[in-house]
Amino acid sequence: MERLPRWADVALVPLVSLTLAFTIAALIILAIGQDPWEAITVMVQGTVMDAYGWGYTLYYATSFMFTGLAVCVAFHAAMFNIGGEGQALLGGLGVALVCLFIPWPHWSLALLAATLSAAAFGAIWAAIPAYLQAKRGSHIVITTIMFNYIAASLLQYLLVNTLKPVGQSDPASANFPDATHLPALNDIPLVNLFFTKPVPANITLFIALGMAVAVWVLLWHTRLGYQIRAFGKSEPAARYAGINPTRIIMIVMILSGALAGMMAVNNVMGEAERLLGNSASGAGFIGIAVALMGRNHPLGVVLAALLFGFLFQGGAELGLWTKIPIEMRIVVQGLVILFTGALDVMVRMLLGRIFAAFRARAEGAA
Amino acid sequence: MDYATLLQVLDATLRLATPLMLACIAGLYSERAGIFDIGLEGKMLAAAMCAGAVAALTGSAWLGLLAGVGGSLIFALIHGVTSITFRGNQLISGVALNFLAAGLTVLMAQSLFGQGGRTPPLNGEARFQPITLPFAETLQSVPVIGPFYEEVISGHSVLVYAAFAVVGLTWFVLYRTRFGLRLRAVGENPAAVDTAGISVKGLRYGAVLITGVLCGLAGAYMATALQAGFGKDMTAGRGYIALAALIFAKWRPVAAMWTCLLFGFFQALANRPDVVEAVVQFKVPVPFLTALPYILTVLALAGFVGRAIPPRAGGEPYVKER
Amino acid sequence: METSAYAIELKGISKAFGPVQANRDINIAVPRGTIHGIIGENGAGKSTLMSILYGFYRADSGQILINGTPTAIPDSQSAIRAGIGMVFQHFKLVQNFTVLENVVLGAEDGPMLNTSLAKARKSLTDLSREYELDVDPDALIEDLSVGHQQRVEILKALYRQADILILDEPTGVLTPAEADHLFRILKGLKAQGKTIILITHKLREIMETTDNVSVMRRGTMVGTVKTAESSPEELAELMVGRKVLLAVDKAPAQPGDVVLSVQDLRVRDEAGVERLKGVSLEIRAGEILGIAGVAGNGQSELMEALGGMIRASGNVTLKGSPLPLQGPECNGQSRREAGVAHVPEDRHHHGLILDFTAWENVAFGYFNDPKYQKNALLMDNAALRADTARKMETFDVRPPIPGLAAKNFSGGNQQKIVVAREFEQDPDLLLVGQPTRGVDIGAIEFIHKQLIALRDAGKAVLLVSVELDEILSLSDRIAVMFDGQIMGTRERAATDEKELGLMMAGITGKGEAA
């Protein structure tokens, strides 16, 4: 197969994949008798044309940054963490326990504690499959899927049987006390010059961005990150260099679970301000798409998270203002994962042929 | 728990185990051939929508079934192309196809019927009706066995019986035919198959397409027999339970049947917490029953309930070594 | 039909894998009813040639004649139809199938299995009796010894009525007793009129079993001779070729104290087969001990055990303090901390991370080194880049770009990166495996000079190479490994190529003082 130049590898391959995904999405919209151009207009209008739209786009993007980083970190050690959903659910539990049962004098302290707690709960939920993978060889993809469902059941049980206030009918925890209310973007000085109306995007966005930087530093500027990447690239070589596989698998999955868990700070504490049954609402899975799209680089993850925030919010707008159902956004997610993830080889083969043809022509002309 | 209640629960077990069984056996073909398939869920969903839609439009459950199989086959084919021809990551392909199915089914149902992403309620010929087996009435008076036959064994739709037939047939195909031998071999050591002069790709495509057909049956059963029409996300994780059952059964057809019956039994119990409480004398949380299949599968994977070793070549695209 | 005296004729076969020319214009003719050896070093192109004959690969050009008839062999199915059977070096068996199922796979008799199995069971019994090939048809492959698994492969071919049987390095995995049994089987097959092609790099096997032998070197056919009219010496010469002995300027060694002492080192592989059968050796400061031997005789295991990559038993001390051979303390990190540097035999799988940049690879194994740390938390990538740039200059790595991915360097320059990394660690002991494999002449000379310089700086060097020339020109003492053991150790000045060649073939030297 033709080897692609670096710029093509980094930029062109994802761009072509994305174009293919969107082309097919447009064809699907046509097939259900709707207008793709109208769809894109509505999506752009409702997401990035005013502060309100941005408020939602950034809110979703924040969640996706966490779950995308979670998948990304694990990918670097060649671990496919498909359990972000369950880890985020458990993270929500961690947030709820901290917010409900400890009287906080100020939101900042609550935020700190909730973040740590969310990370810890998510980490524990990832550590079990990690241990089973490292020590007993149980395939981490399957165990993390199973743990997603176990987490959902656990949460359902806790919400119905212990956390639900007496007299409430829907399975949810009590509302968090006011002291744990996080500043939304419209509450933050300077930022509120742009965000004048209440929006769900909140201070957690900055934690997410901070985490992206932290992951970048970890992976490319620390000994641990070095070992993680080396292990992920080649296990036999890691053995030669004396890198301990069990240690790397455990650490990487704990980090991954912690990142996925921290997502709950954004939606449970920052938006819902109580714990709901399906609080993760698919963000764990979207993290896979975000990591693939972002080429497993934190900067790419941030950009891809913004793209998916746009798709998610735009999809909601479609559901509101057009005849295209909100589920269109799930279709697009699927297409993006399919083309950037599973059909990577196809796109590369395609581009390789094109490059080879160009080269042949250039040589012919010379 | 009295006998009548037991029979009720067992009757529900059979109905609930059927889609699991079909999907589980579907997955068995693919995984035995060395292609991981976490897209069982998506294929079932696609089939359920196609079956529900066509049954609603034509008034024929059988045509619906055909459409369901067709819809599922399209997804199976995409999975085949990505993982066999383009040697893509089989897990990622499965995740992608599950998303696609979850979204596309609602989109299409909405565009066809405009009822909020579901198909219209089915009745009459558009739905598979219960079949009363011979002598169900006459044997009813026979103590113990009579009511069991009448309540549990008899009175299901044709697809329930088909599911059991599929299990038997699969056992036969897998262990008694040339195709089965080759299928098992290609999932264990594709190089052995290749050097024996058999096409690895051909076998794997065959297996993936059979998976498509059987997921089609499972999905069609969901929409046109178990329930009366397609609803958004109606498979509710059954594809993953089937996957869990497959692992728990260590990729063997008869064990898969028993596992699916067990998992179906848990589902039936989850619908009847009162019965569980009456039997064990304390309140068992419903979510625990729901999660039980997953917990058991994790234990099996960890080797605490007998070691679950997947087909050796599973998940790896076949490339001739240099 | 059988007009030709030759079972197989290959004419002008060429095959390239990308830029690598694996076979170049190969011609060979194998008379019917003979055992024909094909001998050559690793990578000479023997296996590729036979895989083409079996339809596993397609030749880029050339012609295949079976019994005098030009035959196209585009796939294995055609090869089987043409009466060719192949026993691969790595068996193509389904581990959890029975012997019977493996034999039947792909040669079934109709869509139902029962009839096929019954038929196969009967012919298996006949074949077993005829050729001393007894195996339990109902045993699972995973329960069988390697020797028995090989018999199943032979049975598979015979069941498909192969008249021509190709065996690729069949004894690499066998014990001597099993190998003897195999050769008896092969002679039995020959007596029945079968034609056998035996691919090997072991001279002894060629001499004992074959009628004719063809020698391959670097993708070309060097010549075919009658075995009876040849000698191991002649074949060895043909195999290796008369290369210009690279002259290395070196003063006599000034050995100091014992640095490495190895007593009774034993290694078992995952299948439980003993690969290292009690190796003992000593290396002093300021000397190079060369390990000669045909690949696969335990050299890799010796290197990996000393490098902490695999578990072993026995006793190893470095400057008097024991090195752990078991448990979590036995790893590449603790070895490096103890003062062992290691240029691994396989730079692609072990020595380098091909997707990493050159500077990242320079830290490989030494990421904990204080000189690469900025503070307790962060690595000093800038220092690492600077160090890499300096190393690249010293070792003349081209292009001298620290940020270039390792996979984009040529083989020689990749090896220089590994060598630069390991040589500059100021180790007490240096393990060097195949230092110049796939490396161009200029780089070979450079690496050799550096090795001598390290020796003269008082390091103990253990050098493993399948290139006898390299061993001869660099070593102060030479130990020959055969079948997991050391056949003997010689002072460089007191031995020659001929003696070492015979020791490498396992013919002489056994039991002599080490």
Side-chain angles (χ1 to χ4, degrees):
Chain A
M1 204 165 73
E2 191 75 12
R3 185 175 279 168
L4 296 174
R6 192 171 151 75
W7 64 271
D9 194 61
V10 173
L12 198 58
V13 171
L15 210 64
V16 170
S17 303
L18 208 59
T19 311
L20 283 169
F22 282 137
T23 310
I24 291 185
L27 291 176
I28 289 171
I29 293 176
L30 276 177
I32 60 170
Q34 303 297 322
D35 180 3
W37 183 248
E38 185 201 350
I40 193 78
T41 322
V42 167
M43 285 177 80
V44 171
Q45 282 291 344
T47 49
V48 292
M49 293 309 280
D50 58 24
Y52 190 69
W54 271 108
Y56 275 90
T57 303
L58 289 176
Y59 165 67
Y60 291 123
T62 305
S63 290
F64 303 155
M65 283 177 207
F66 282 116
T67 53
L69 288 171
V71 178
C72 159
V73 166
F75 261 144
H76 274 284
M79 294 283 119
F80 189 11
N81 178 13
I82 202 166
E85 193 78 4
Q87 291 143 20
L89 282 179
L90 263 285
L93 180 63
V95 169
L97 294 179
V98 162
C99 291
L100 285 171
F101 297 111
I102 303 175
W104 294 102
H106 191 261
W107 65 262
S108 56
L109 293 175
L111 175 61
L112 185 69
T115 307
L116 291 177
S117 170
F121 272 72
I124 290 170
W125 211 243
I128 306 167
Y131 180 82
L132 294 177
Q133 166 82 58
K135 285 289 181 193
R136 317 216 36 131
S138 324
H139 201 303
I140 199 141
V141 171
I142 305 292
T143 42
T144 48
I145 290 177
M146 300 297 135
F147 268 66
N148 283 339
Y149 283 96
I150 299 173
S153 292
L154 178 65
L155 233 66
Q156 195 195 341
Y157 169 75
L158 290 175
L159 284 175
V160 172
N161 295 54
T162 43
L163 290 174
K164 187 177 78 175
V166 184
Q168 183 182 307
S169 61
D170 53 336
S173 77
N175 289 329
F176 297 163
D178 285 343
T180 65
H181 174 79
L182 292 181
L185 291 188
N186 51 290
D187 299 327
I188 301 172
L190 292 180
V191 182
N192 64 8
L193 296 178
F194 180 66
F195 293 101
T196 47
K197 279 186 285 182
V199 291
N202 58 73
I203 195 157
T204 322
L205 170 65
F206 301 104
I207 300 182
L209 292 171
M211 281 302 143
V213 176
V215 167
W216 177 73
V217 170
L218 169 81
L219 286 175
W220 282 280
H221 290 275
T222 70
R223 278 169 278 172
L224 178 61
Y226 181 93
Q227 293 177 65
I228 289 172
R229 290 185 299 120
F231 174 79
K233 291 282 185 204
S234 168
E235 210 177 321
R239 195 163 49 88
Y240 155 77
I243 295 168
N244 182 344
T246 305
R247 178 168 166 266
I248 296 296
I249 291 174
M250 288 305 293
I251 290 179
V252 116
M253 282 303 289
I254 283 172
L255 287 175
S256 177
L259 283 165
M262 281 159 77
M263 174 206 131
V265 178
N266 184 47
N267 61 347
V268 176
M269 192 176 182
E271 204 264 342
E273 304 196 343
R274 61 177 184 154
L275 185 60
L276 294 157
N278 63 339
S279 61
S281 58
F285 287 110
I286 294 172
I288 299 166
V290 168
L292 287 171
M293 186 72 233
R295 311 295 273 169
N296 289 317
H297 191 285
L299 179 63
V301 166
V302 168
L303 294 176
L306 282 171
L307 175 75
F308 275 86
F310 163 79
L311 286 175
F312 216 71
Q313 167 59 10
E317 294 283 314
L318 285 184
L320 275 178
W321 307 112
T322 72
K323 289 207 172 98
I324 302 169
I326 189 168
E327 281 77 12
M328 187 64 212
R329 66 188 186 191
I330 307 178
V331 174
V332 177
Q333 280 157 32
L335 289 169
V336 170
I337 299 179
L338 189 67
F339 283 101
T340 56
L343 285 173
D344 197 57
V345 176
M346 184 189 80
V347 174
R348 277 159 197 283
M349 262 157 92
L350 209 73
L351 286 175
R353 292 229 176 112
I354 294 170
F355 271 91
F358 268 111
R359 200 162 303 158
R361 259 183 57 188
E363 277 163 17
Chain B
M1 176 168 54
D2 57 32
Y3 191 53
T5 321
L6 176 69
L7 291 183
Q8 277 173 18
V9 171
L10 289 180
D11 180 53
T13 299
L14 233 56
R15 277 185 287 118
L16 292 167
T18 296
L20 297 182
M21 223 145 51
L22 287 166
C24 184
I25 297 291
L28 186 143
Y29 278 95
S30 190
E31 303 224 337
R32 274 287 183 139
I35 304 288
F36 279 162
D37 194 351
I38 58 174
L40 300 174
E41 177 85 0
K43 282 192 271 288
M44 277 170 84
L45 209 51
M49 198 284 296
C50 293
V54 170
L57 292 171
T58 63
S60 159
W62 287 100
L63 286 178
L65 180 73
L66 215 60
V69 169
S72 170
L73 268 176
I74 292 172
F75 276 77
L77 198 62
I78 299 176
H79 189 56
V81 170
T82 55
S83 45
I84 303 169
T85 303
F86 289 114
R87 301 191 300 271
N89 185 317
Q90 297 164 12
L91 300 167
I92 291 177
S93 170
V95 171
L97 291 173
N98 282 342
F99 269 118
L100 264 184
L104 273 180
T105 49
V106 177
L107 241 64
M108 290 181 68
Q110 173 64 17
S111 110
L112 284 172
F113 304 104
Q115 297 185 4
R118 39 176 42 257
T119 60
L122 303 173
N123 45 43
E125 286 299 299
R127 234 187 130 194
F128 283 101
Q129 297 299 328
I131 298 170
T132 308
L133 293 183
F135 313 117
E137 303 274 320
T138 36
L139 282 175
Q140 202 181 359
S141 52
V142 181
V144 187
I145 298 171
F148 180 78
Y149 184 75
E150 201 264 338
E151 273 269 331
V152 181
I153 306 287
S154 171
H156 293 288
S157 79
V158 62
L159 287 175
V160 174
Y161 303 110
F164 283 94
V166 162
V167 171
L169 192 67
T170 299
W171 178 86
F172 182 80
V173 166
L174 211 55
Y175 298 112
R176 290 289 180 267
T177 70
R178 174 175 69 190
F179 176 71
L181 183 77
R182 294 176 171 190
L183 189 81
R184 284 183 287 138
V186 82
E188 290 289 332
N189 187 356
V193 170
D194 196 10
T195 49
I198 312 162
S199 160
V200 172
K201 284 187 178 182
L203 271 175
R204 288 192 160 168
Y205 265 109
V208 165
L209 292 181
I210 294 175
T211 303
V213 171
L214 293 178
C215 276
L217 297 185
Y221 173 81
M222 291 291 302
T224 58
L226 188 64
Q227 286 166 37
F230 166 82
K232 182 187 167 182
D233 214 10
M234 75 180 300
T235 48
R238 280 183 171 83
Y240 291 110
I241 300 187
L243 196 64
L246 183 59
I247 296 164
F248 195 76
K250 302 188 178 76
W251 294 268
R252 293 170 306 180
V254 176
M257 176 188 78
W258 290 116
T259 310
C260 289
L261 285 171
L262 179 70
F263 288 2
F265 183 63
F266 292 150
Q267 288 188 340
L269 286 182
N271 292 341
R272 293 290 303 272
D274 56 313
V275 175
V276 182
E277 195 179 343
V279 172
V280 298
Q281 300 298 321
F282 62 86
K283 214 168 151 73
V284 176
V286 174
F288 177 72
L289 291 170
T290 321
L292 210 47
Y294 305 113
I295 297 172
L296 286 176
T297 304
V298 170
L299 291 178
L301 273 168
F304 296 118
V305 194
R307 197 111 177 84
I309 300 164
R312 281 183 183 79
E316 289 296 322
Y318 177 61
V319 186
K320 276 189 190 189
E321 64 190 274
R322 254 217 49 190
Chain C
M1 175 191 150
E2 299 205 352
T3 52
S4 171
Y6 295 113
I8 300 166
E9 288 166 88
L10 299 180
K11 292 184 175 170
I13 299 282
S14 291
K15 171 77 183 172
F17 293 105
V20 183
Q21 191 74 35
N23 285 159
R24 185 178 291 120
D25 193 25
I26 303 282
N27 294 295
I28 186 173
V30 179
R32 188 172 308 111
T34 61
I35 299 183
H36 193 107
I38 296 185
I39 195 162
E41 291 191 302
N42 280 341
K46 302 167 298 202
S47 296
T48 304
L49 186 66
M50 290 304 116
S51 293
I52 288 170
L53 183 53
Y54 190 64
F56 206 59
Y57 299 136
R58 297 178 82 157
D60 299 333
S61 60
Q63 198 184 21
I64 300 172
L65 279 75
I66 306 292
N67 293 320
T69 318
T71 311
I73 305 186
D75 51 37
S76 303
Q77 189 79 60
S78 320
I80 295 167
R81 265 200 305 271
I84 301 171
M86 179 143 176
V87 177
F88 287 88
Q89 191 174 359
H90 302 287
F91 302 147
K92 310 291 181 189
L93 295 172
V94 181
Q95 289 292 313
N96 59 356
F97 274 21
T98 63
V99 170
L100 206 55
E101 286 173 320
N102 268 291
V103 167
V104 158
L105 180 67
E108 302 90 343
D109 218 25
M112 289 301 137
L113 214 50
N114 273 351
T115 45
S116 310
L117 289 177
K119 187 185 152 210
R121 185 181 295 277
K122 196 184 162 301
S123 29
L124 223 55
T125 324
D126 295 345
L127 289 169
S128 305
R129 202 175 316 119
E130 209 169 338
Y131 301 109
E132 283 190 75
L133 275 166
D134 39 286
V135 274
D136 173 9
D138 297 311
L140 291 177
I141 297 298
E142 56 199 3
D143 295 335
L144 293 180
S145 72
V146 181
H148 277 81
Q149 292 189 19
Q150 190 172 56
R151 289 185 203 171
V152 179
E153 284 284 18
I154 297 173
L155 282 169
K156 260 169 76 177
L158 295 177
Y159 183 70
R160 286 160 175 74
Q161 295 176 334
D163 283 322
I164 301 160
L165 193 63
I166 308 166
L167 295 105
D168 188 359
E169 302 282 2
T171 59
V173 289
L174 299 183
T175 64
E178 283 174 328
D180 287 344
H181 188 112
L182 173 70
F183 294 135
R184 276 208 305 281
I185 294 168
L186 294 185
K187 282 173 182 158
L189 288 166
K190 178 184 149 188
Q192 299 284 326
K194 309 270 184 199
T195 307
I196 291 158
I197 298 182
L198 179 67
I199 305 173
T200 182
H201 57 237
K202 296 182 185 169
L203 286 166
R204 187 171 62 112
E205 294 172 1
I206 292 288
M207 297 313 294
E208 281 177 11
T209 46
T210 63
D211 299 303
N212 299 294
V213 54
S214 298
V215 184
M216 287 186 77
R217 191 200 315 153
R218 294 188 182 167
T220 59
M221 187 60 77
V222 187
T224 300
V225 292
K226 281 202 178 350
T227 312
E229 297 168 7
S230 182
S231 66
E233 290 79 7
E234 185 197 4
L235 290 176
E237 201 178 304
L238 279 172
M239 230 168 106
V240 181
R242 269 277 163 234
K243 274 183 285 183
V244 188
L245 203 77
L246 290 163
V248 180
D249 286 332
K250 57 169 187 176
Q254 310 283 333
D257 296 337
V258 171
V259 173
L260 178 76
S261 164
V262 178
Q263 300 293 327
D264 195 31
L265 191 66
R266 289 171 189 273
V267 170
R268 282 182 188 281
D269 66 11
E270 278 165 24
V273 179
E274 196 164 50
R275 294 285 171 194
L276 221 50
K277 303 171 178 173
V279 166
S280 301
L281 52 84
E282 273 186 359
I283 310 179
R284 293 175 177 276
E287 75 165 350
I288 297 178
L289 175 67
I291 305 273
V294 173
N297 277 296
Q299 301 98 312
S300 304
E301 286 79 5
L302 175 64
M303 293 287 276
E304 294 189 6
L306 292 178
M309 292 168 68
I310 54 175
R311 306 279 174 267
S313 65
N315 225 323
V316 176
T317 57
L318 186 72
K319 286 183 145 178
S321 38
L323 292 179
L325 299 172
Q326 297 278 340
E329 295 83 37
C330 171
N331 63 58
Q333 278 301 300
S334 66
R335 286 293 198 279
R336 283 171 180 78
E337 281 157 24
V340 180
H342 183 180
V343 177
E345 292 185 289
D346 186 339
R347 63 172 168 269
H348 284 171
H349 283 105
H350 293 142
L352 291 167
I353 303 263
L354 292 173
D355 286 331
F356 272 15
T357 60
W359 65 265
E360 283 174 312
N361 272 301
V362 161
F364 195 51
Y366 301 97
F367 39 80
N368 287 325
D369 193 320
K371 73 170 179 276
Y372 297 144
Q373 316 303 324
K374 196 179 280 177
N375 50 42
L377 211 58
L378 299 180
M379 284 180 86
D380 194 344
N381 290 348
L384 193 43
R385 277 169 184 271
D387 189 41
T388 305
R390 195 188 51 72
K391 282 190 165 74
M392 287 179 131
E393 203 187 318
T394 315
F395 282 79
D396 191 30
V397 178
R398 287 179 220 175
I401 306 170
L404 194 65
K407 63 182 172 198
N408 295 328
F409 288 92
S410 72
N413 284 297
Q414 286 176 348
Q415 186 69 352
K416 280 187 190 171
I417 294 174
V418 178
V419 164
R421 177 182 76 209
E422 300 298 328
F423 282 17
E424 293 221 330
Q425 294 302 324
D426 192 28
D428 295 316
L429 170 68
L430 184 65
L431 307 172
V432 187
Q434 320 294 353
T436 56
R437 180 183 278 171
V439 171
D440 55 280
I441 300 280
I444 290 176
E445 218 178 339
F446 183 83
I447 291 171
H448 283 177
K449 274 190 189 148
Q450 293 291 327
L451 262 174
I452 298 293
L454 273 178
R455 179 202 73 165
D456 292 344
K459 312 295 179 200
V461 179
L462 179 67
L463 169 71
V464 166
S465 176
V466 290
E467 302 284 342
L468 196 50
D469 282 344
E470 185 165 50
I471 296 283
L472 284 166
S473 56
L474 290 176
S475 311
D476 301 309
R477 284 188 302 133
I478 298 170
V480 180
M481 280 191 81
F482 177 76
D483 192 28
Q485 285 168 308
I486 294 202
M487 294 293 288
T489 308
R490 299 280 184 275
E491 290 294 327
R492 165 64 188 93
T495 186
D496 58 16
E497 202 169 339
K498 191 171 153 189
E499 186 193 20
L500 294 175
L502 291 175
M503 284 164 77
M504 282 162 68
I507 295 173
T508 56
K510 188 131 193 168
E512 290 176 38

